[in-house]
Amino acid sequence: MFLINCPFCGEREQSEFKAGGEAHIVRPKQPTELSDDEWAEYLFMRKNIKGVQFERWNHVHGCRKWFNMVRDTSNDQIKAVYKMGEKPPVK
Amino acid sequence: MKNKYSIFSLIKNAFSYHENWEKAWKDPEPKKEYDAVIVGGGGHGLATAYYLAKKHNMKNIAVVEKGWIGGGNTGRNTTIIRSNYLWDASAGLYDHALKIWEGLSQELNYNVMFSQRGVMNLAHNLQDVRDLKRRTHANRLNGIDAVYLNTEEVKKFCPIINTSQDIRYPVLGGTLQRRAGTARHDAVAWGYARGADEMGVDIIQNCEVKGIKRNGDTVEGIETTKGFIKTKKIGVVAAGHSSVIANMAGLKLPLESKPLQALVSEPVKPIIDTVVMSNAVHAYVSQSDKGELVIGAGTDDYVSYSQKGSHDIVEGTLNAILELYPIFSRMRMLRQWGGIVDICPDASPIISKTSIKGLYFNCGWGTGGFKATPGSGDLFAHTIANDEPHKLNAAFNINRFVSGDLVDEHGAAAVAH
């Protein structure tokens, strides 16, 4: 359990949010042209990193807006929070 | 040959104040090379090594474990064993395990305290009732014992359940698998370790894998904190850390690792002699032989390797427990902990070869791997030894995420994942 600094609402409890999984997975422009392997890669395969990971979160019990987060999954420390469409502030 | 555990060995050792029991397994340093190396010394990994040695005559093998054996999810789960899964593939897999459980203590000469006290799954709404009835029929077609109980029968089987129809999620019925039950989780790891050790398997603790050496599409060995180990076959059974090992080999898996929590109460006299699970309100409870209530909570919905869970998950589970069992309202909780579970998109495991020759994965057990320990080890050993899956785990290959032939137990299993 931790606090999340929503870019729209400020600091709130994590239980107000829904995790949306790995961020920056780009939806294929032409899904019909993908091979089965490429489709599986897009749909199912995940880095599932132990360490610094880029994620999507949704403030479901607040502003209901999506945003991105950089978080260390080994200790749940949040490195940065940024809006959708923005470049990640840390590498 | 190890001394057999029996009433006579117990009496004999009592005379020397139990100070002269022989070690159940050795603590060797790794050799330079093995025929196969199992990564992960939990129940599944140790069972894999045991069956590789016993059924496939592969004795020059090792199990490497980064901590101590049985110290991960094997020692953190709520020890429930059942096989009442909906789909044919799952039913085959989990009932194979259940059949091995039934003779495991005798086979290992190690008391795993397997107790067939029954597992009851509750229905709280009309859709639950329909789903559970459907699952009961599917189970019986697959030769798995299952009965559907109405509310009165649920109350008769477990009298402390609150079956008032005025509560928020009233009990409308349930299913019962009488062959299901619990076992002692540590004993499973220790029993398999002792059996494998006796057949010559090296169990190497405090040995973390740091890299996987490949020559093109073939594995050559593993880098560990105790040096390089050469091997042609690597079986990875690393649960929550499966993706970490996969990334070392340049593979991606369809897994997300999340904290799953459990908690136990202070010990009390026997009050609940079965296992009761509820999918809809996510509460399940049983009582250990020490008298503690063993309560399973849900997973957090974010990826984390921290072995801690969120407080609101525990709170939600305890709310449900209190409504179903008002008698527990003054119980105090003794301990709470989390384990990291690796969850597949279809909530079914992967027991499979990979695109890299000699690299095998047994992962994705999510929130329900303990029950499958003996069957998982047996089938994974078969897969590694023959470089081909057994017919019972053929459906659980990694290519199902490419072909789309998923084993979707998310909504179908008896409890939420």
Side-chain angles (χ1 to χ4, degrees):
Chain A
M1 191 165 200
F2 40 86
L3 294 172
I4 294 174
N5 192 12
C6 172
F8 307 97
C9 310
E11 204 161 73
R12 300 292 173 87
E13 276 187 25
Q14 171 263 318
S15 57
E16 288 189 15
F17 298 80
K18 175 99 182 110
E22 191 179 320
H24 306 300
I25 299 174
V26 182
R27 187 179 168 81
K29 284 212 171 69
Q30 297 286 345
T32 49
E33 286 169 18
L34 292 191
S35 68
D36 287 352
D37 281 316
E38 288 167 327
W39 189 241
E41 177 77 17
Y42 164 71
L43 207 54
F44 294 124
M45 301 302 166
R46 296 292 177 263
K47 289 182 195 150
N48 195 24
I49 290 169
K50 182 181 188 179
V52 176
Q53 169 162 295
F54 295 81
E55 307 176 320
R56 301 178 305 169
W57 284 75
N58 186 359
H59 195 181
V60 276
H61 300 297
C63 61
R64 304 190 63 187
K65 285 188 178 132
W66 285 91
F67 59 95
N68 290 317
M69 187 192 288
V70 188
R71 189 171 58 92
D72 188 335
T73 60
S74 64
N75 56 16
D76 293 336
Q77 276 187 1
I78 298 168
K79 305 285 181 196
V81 172
Y82 56 102
K83 290 179 185 169
M84 283 285 166
E86 286 178 4
K87 284 228 163 94
V90 288
K91 280 215 164 170
Chain B
M1 185 70 190
K2 282 191 162 56
N3 291 327
K4 197 169 149 58
Y5 289 155
S6 67
I7 182 77
F8 303 108
S9 67
L10 192 64
I11 293 167
K12 189 180 141 212
N13 279 280
F15 286 113
S16 55
Y17 302 98
H18 297 292
E19 286 171 356
N20 296 321
W21 285 98
E22 68 172 339
K23 275 195 171 177
W25 56 85
K26 296 179 289 291
D27 198 13
E29 287 300 306
K31 292 186 219 160
K32 292 249 176 310
E33 184 175 354
Y34 290 99
D35 294 338
V37 174
I38 306 299
V39 178
H44 290 243
L46 293 163
T48 304
Y50 175 85
Y51 291 113
L52 272 176
K54 188 177 177 191
K55 291 177 128 182
H56 305 283
N57 205 30
M58 289 178 70
K59 310 243 158 118
N60 181 30
I61 60 176
V63 178
V64 295
E65 162 59 46
K66 72 171 174 178
W68 61 93
I69 60 167
N73 293 348
T74 301
R76 290 163 189 267
N77 66 84
T78 50
T79 77
I80 297 168
I81 295 161
R82 58 183 180 86
S83 65
N84 55 351
Y85 280 69
L86 177 69
W87 300 113
D88 294 352
S90 315
L93 178 68
Y94 290 104
D95 210 50
H96 176 61
L98 183 49
K99 283 178 187 142
I100 304 177
W101 277 113
E102 288 174 330
L104 192 61
S105 291
Q106 285 73 25
E107 185 186 339
L108 295 177
N109 178 228
Y110 205 104
N111 188 3
V112 298
M113 296 164 76
F114 180 50
S115 158
Q116 290 177 299
R117 60 184 68 183
V119 169
M120 190 159 65
N121 296 101
L122 301 179
H124 297 278
N125 54 53
L126 282 176
Q127 190 58 46
D128 277 0
V129 171
R130 292 185 199 108
D131 288 345
L132 294 198
K133 282 185 175 167
R134 179 189 178 203
R135 181 166 55 71
T136 307
H137 296 314
N139 288 161
R140 293 171 76 160
L141 286 171
N142 277 318
I144 293 168
D145 68 308
V147 283
Y148 186 82
L149 308 177
N150 62 29
T151 309
E152 289 75 43
E153 289 163 331
V154 166
K155 181 80 177 169
K156 201 174 165 204
F157 189 69
C158 184
I160 59 169
I161 292 185
N162 178 8
T163 49
S164 161
Q165 295 303 296
D166 296 330
I167 62 176
R168 178 66 184 87
Y169 298 104
V171 176
L172 300 185
T175 67
L176 175 63
Q177 186 183 19
R178 290 186 192 276
R179 284 164 64 230
T182 61
R184 173 95 173 100
H185 46 10
D186 298 321
V188 180
W190 297 337
Y192 274 122
R194 178 170 172 264
D197 181 88
E198 186 175 357
M199 290 183 283
V201 175
D202 280 354
I203 296 164
I204 303 156
Q205 304 183 74
N206 298 310
C207 180
E208 186 175 352
V209 173
K210 290 290 183 191
I212 290 180
K213 195 175 171 206
R214 284 169 55 177
N215 180 8
D217 280 339
T218 312
V219 295
E220 291 197 322
I222 51 171
E223 291 289 352
T224 74
T225 48
K226 293 193 174 186
F228 180 72
I229 302 172
K230 196 176 164 189
T231 182
K232 288 196 175 71
K233 291 189 174 193
I234 303 170
V236 183
V237 206
H241 282 70
S242 298
S243 296
V244 177
I245 307 277
N247 290 343
M248 290 175 190
L251 278 182
K252 256 199 209 169
L253 295 172
L255 297 174
E256 286 194 311
S257 297
K258 297 175 176 181
L260 175 68
Q261 294 178 83
L263 55 164
V264 293
S265 72
E266 57 190 337
V268 290
K269 286 185 177 174
I271 182 72
I272 180 165
D273 63 356
T274 184
V275 183
V276 186
M277 313 178 72
S278 168
N279 185 358
V281 297
H282 210 294
Y284 52 99
V285 64
S286 62
Q287 192 171 15
S288 75
D289 291 352
K290 282 188 282 184
E292 301 158 330
L293 295 180
V294 182
I295 295 169
T299 51
D300 283 299
D301 74 342
Y302 52 88
V303 170
S304 177
Y305 289 83
S306 67
Q307 291 192 329
K308 289 181 285 192
S310 300
H311 181 70
D312 54 305
I313 302 285
V314 171
E315 199 175 15
T317 289
L318 290 179
N319 282 343
I321 293 273
L322 285 192
E323 188 164 75
L324 282 175
Y325 312 93
I327 192 174
F328 295 152
S329 66
R330 293 185 191 179
M331 293 280 282
R332 285 167 298 186
M333 291 299 137
L334 203 61
R335 295 192 307 278
Q336 169 274 348
W337 63 92
I340 303 304
V341 297
D342 43 328
I343 302 175
C344 268
D346 60 355
S348 285
I350 297 168
I351 311 172
S352 179
K353 305 200 294 187
T354 63
S355 55
I356 299 167
K357 193 169 162 37
L359 185 63
Y360 306 85
F361 269 88
N362 182 353
C363 58
W365 289 96
T367 59
F370 176 74
K371 66 175 80 70
T373 305
S376 156
D378 183 33
L379 299 172
F380 195 41
H382 181 100
T383 307
I384 293 172
N386 299 304
D387 198 36
E388 278 301 321
H390 188 277
K391 68 177 188 327
L392 286 175
N393 68 309
F396 298 95
N397 66 70
I398 201 165
N399 282 334
R400 72 178 189 265
F401 296 97
V402 177
S403 69
D405 190 11
L406 304 179
V407 188
D408 184 9
E409 286 288 355
H410 245 302
V415 70
H417 288 266

